[in-house]
Amino acid sequence: MWARSLRGRVTLVTTLIAAVLLIPFGIGAVTVTRAWVAASVSRDTRNVAERIATETHAGALWRGGRIPVLDPTVPLIQIVNPHGTVSAASDGAAAMPRLSDLWPAPDDRVITARPCVSRMCLYLTAVRVSLEPDSSVVYAGRRAPAVLNDHTLETVAAIEIAILIGITGWATWMIMGRALRPVAAMRAQLDEINASDLSRRVAQPAGDDELSGLAASINGTLARLERSSRQQRQFASDASHELRTPIAGLRAQLESAQLYPDDTDLEALVTSALRDTDRLEAIITDLLLLARIGSRVDDAAKEWLDLGEMVREELSVRKDRVPIRLAVEDGVLVQGVRLQLARVLTNLLDNAERHADRYVRVSVGCEDGTAVLAVENDGAEIAEEDRERIFERFTRLDAARSRDAGGTGLGLAIARDVAVAHGGELTVEDCQGGARFVLRLPSAALAE
């Protein structure tokens, strides 16, 4: 089971990588160490043999046939005459037989060998004293070091490598456990969050690392879900209230007509019923449009539009109670769904017409690669604290305004959702003596 977890898999992979790296390194280290020790021993025996050979060639006399030990690491020294007899030896080699049968030739004065004598193996160097045919030969040697004579070095290296691999695996396991502890805590906290209570948040670790970023993203998602859930509940409540009012009015009129048929004005009843039906149809149509817009627009439905041309075409079929002043630039191109963008313009114009006193002004331009569509009216200004609230669904700032004059209460919400779905924004900006709504959309450069 542990290998199924991220912690276990990372530990396993790290341990395998450590083994793949350390085992060849250990083998190489043992090989290099053995070669270095062997070269060092051979160098020592050669140095001793060459010094004794030089002194012998110079006529040195070895009292009692005893050769002094020049290097404590090389205690075995013998001088063998051409007849094969040991003529002088060190104390350690005096009681030993001839150390080797090797006899260097005049053209190859130095020979290194590893013979075994009296059940022990030696590192030995044989040096010819002179080039004369009757030259003696000096042998200098020592026992093979334990590191070269058995497998102690390999055993120690294997134990050390095994310990290092084990420490690597243990350290990785502990480090991953500590690193993933906040993730386990976040998972436990998420498991406790349910759809009925989205107000809780996961604990965000200190610092600015990936785990802190993950916690921040989770909390941001929870905040958006909470906001969306709250909006949906509010929307359902508002929608049910908005739909209930015309339905209740329609039902009351029909029941009155049923109870008092002789006292009912049929023409007035039909007119009122149609008015309530029209309102119901408008609300349902707007609700369906909001659901269809969602949070994005299908790219396949988009097309390049000249924003100024679209404004002129929409205004050409409208009959408004106050005149509309135009300040439109040609060639301001945006990519979007024509029907939805036209609906934004219609909703903004309807809103402006309801509040305007003498005129409505529509302008189209381009600012730093952004298409700008602004709709102004000379009616009442919108307080700064209300500039976001008016985009909420079924929100009206003027409670005394009649429902017929006020529309469905979804126009500005639809306009903002369309703007966001097209990668833009819809905001209310400062306007002296009126209200100014500004739509900004990504745009191509002004057409030449």
Side-chain angles (χ1 to χ4, degrees):
M1 295 294 295
W2 66 270
R4 297 180 183 178
S5 67
L6 177 62
R7 182 184 184 185
R9 290 197 298 271
V10 172
T11 300
L12 179 61
V13 171
T14 304
T15 304
L16 291 176
I17 292 175
V20 169
L21 295 177
L22 290 175
I23 290 175
F25 176 79
I27 294 174
V30 169
T31 302
V32 171
T33 300
R34 292 178 70 91
W36 180 81
V37 172
S40 178
V41 171
S42 297
R43 183 174 62 253
D44 292 342
T45 58
R46 178 169 180 161
N47 290 340
V48 171
E50 288 182 340
R51 287 177 60 183
I52 296 298
T54 300
E55 293 181 10
T56 302
H57 183 67
L61 298 177
W62 311 107
R63 296 181 181 181
R66 290 290 187 259
I67 303 175
V69 176
L70 305 179
D71 185 346
T73 63
V74 186
L76 306 178
I77 305 172
Q78 290 180 345
I79 298 177
V80 180
N81 58 35
H83 302 292
T85 303
V86 177
S87 59
S90 62
D91 292 339
M96 296 178 62
R98 182 175 170 179
L99 296 178
S100 176
D101 293 331
L102 293 175
W103 198 266
D107 56 349
D108 187 10
R109 294 182 58 248
V110 180
I111 298 178
T112 300
R114 299 178 185 177
C116 291
V117 179
S118 299
R119 293 181 296 179
M120 67 176 179
C121 294
L122 306 176
Y123 269 74
L124 181 76
T125 299
V127 177
R128 190 181 181 91
V129 175
S130 68
L131 300 179
E132 301 298 330
D134 57 350
S135 172
S136 298
V137 173
V138 176
Y139 296 96
R142 58 162 293 177
R143 290 174 178 269
V147 71
L148 302 177
N149 206 29
D150 54 29
H151 298 290
T152 302
L153 182 62
E154 288 83 349
T155 302
V156 172
I159 294 174
E160 291 178 347
I161 290 174
I163 292 174
L164 287 175
I165 293 175
I167 291 175
T168 301
W170 174 81
T172 303
W173 178 264
M174 298 302 294
I175 292 172
M176 286 299 299
R178 184 178 181 84
L180 294 176
R181 194 175 303 157
V183 177
M186 284 187 278
R187 184 183 65 182
Q189 292 166 355
L190 283 173
D191 290 339
E192 296 176 357
I193 298 174
N194 52 55
S196 61
D197 182 14
L198 295 174
S199 62
R200 299 182 60 181
R201 299 292 182 267
V202 301
Q204 183 171 347
D208 193 22
D209 56 8
E210 290 81 358
L211 290 178
S212 178
L214 174 62
S217 297
I218 291 175
N219 287 335
T221 300
L222 290 173
R224 290 191 294 272
L225 288 174
E226 181 186 15
R227 184 167 57 253
S228 176
S229 177
R230 185 170 58 250
Q231 289 175 347
Q232 286 180 358
R233 289 194 297 268
Q234 184 64 38
F235 177 68
S237 175
D238 293 341
S240 62
H241 178 269
E242 293 291 329
L243 291 173
R244 188 181 295 115
T245 300
I247 290 176
L250 181 60
R251 182 180 183 85
Q253 294 177 64
L254 293 175
E255 288 178 346
S256 177
Q258 185 181 34
L259 291 173
Y260 309 103
D262 296 335
D263 297 334
T264 300
D265 185 344
L266 182 61
E267 182 178 355
L269 174 64
V270 172
T271 300
S272 179
L274 287 175
R275 184 170 60 251
D276 289 340
T277 303
D278 289 341
R279 176 165 176 75
L280 284 172
E281 183 180 8
I283 293 175
I284 293 172
T285 300
D286 285 348
L287 290 175
L288 291 176
L289 178 59
L290 281 170
R292 190 163 55 249
I293 292 173
S295 61
R296 56 175 299 177
V297 178
D298 185 6
D299 291 339
K302 291 182 177 181
E303 59 180 305
W304 283 105
L305 304 172
D306 187 320
L307 200 57
E309 181 181 346
M310 185 193 74
V311 169
R312 292 190 180 94
E313 290 179 359
E314 293 298 320
L315 292 180
S316 65
V317 297
R318 289 179 62 92
K319 294 181 179 180
D320 297 303
R321 67 177 182 87
V322 297
I324 297 178
R325 302 174 182 178
L326 284 181
V328 176
E329 296 182 13
D330 293 324
V332 180
L333 302 179
V334 297
Q335 192 176 32
V337 180
R338 181 182 180 85
L339 290 177
Q340 293 186 7
L341 294 179
R343 181 60 184 272
V344 174
L345 176 62
T346 299
N347 289 356
L348 293 179
L349 288 173
D350 290 344
N351 180 75
E353 287 285 339
R354 281 196 296 269
H355 298 86
D357 292 332
R358 296 182 303 277
Y359 71 89
V360 172
R361 183 174 184 271
V362 180
S363 62
V364 175
C366 191
E367 298 177 1
D368 299 326
T370 300
V372 179
L373 167 63
V375 178
E376 301 177 13
N377 68 80
D378 61 343
E381 297 183 18
I382 300 176
E384 189 171 351
E385 61 271 17
D386 293 328
R387 291 182 181 180
E388 282 298 317
R389 191 164 66 89
I390 60 174
F391 292 105
E392 297 176 2
R393 299 168 181 180
F394 300 115
T395 296
R396 298 183 182 87
L397 300 183
D398 185 1
R401 188 172 50 207
S402 70
R403 292 189 180 277
D404 289 340
T408 65
L410 295 172
L412 294 179
I414 291 174
R416 170 163 280 189
D417 279 4
V418 171
V420 172
H422 282 74
E425 62 177 0
L426 177 61
T427 57
V428 178
E429 296 185 353
D430 293 331
C431 181
Q432 188 67 30
R436 173 182 170 86
F437 290 81
V438 180
L439 171 67
R440 287 183 169 82
L441 296 172
S443 172
L446 283 172
E448 296 294 338

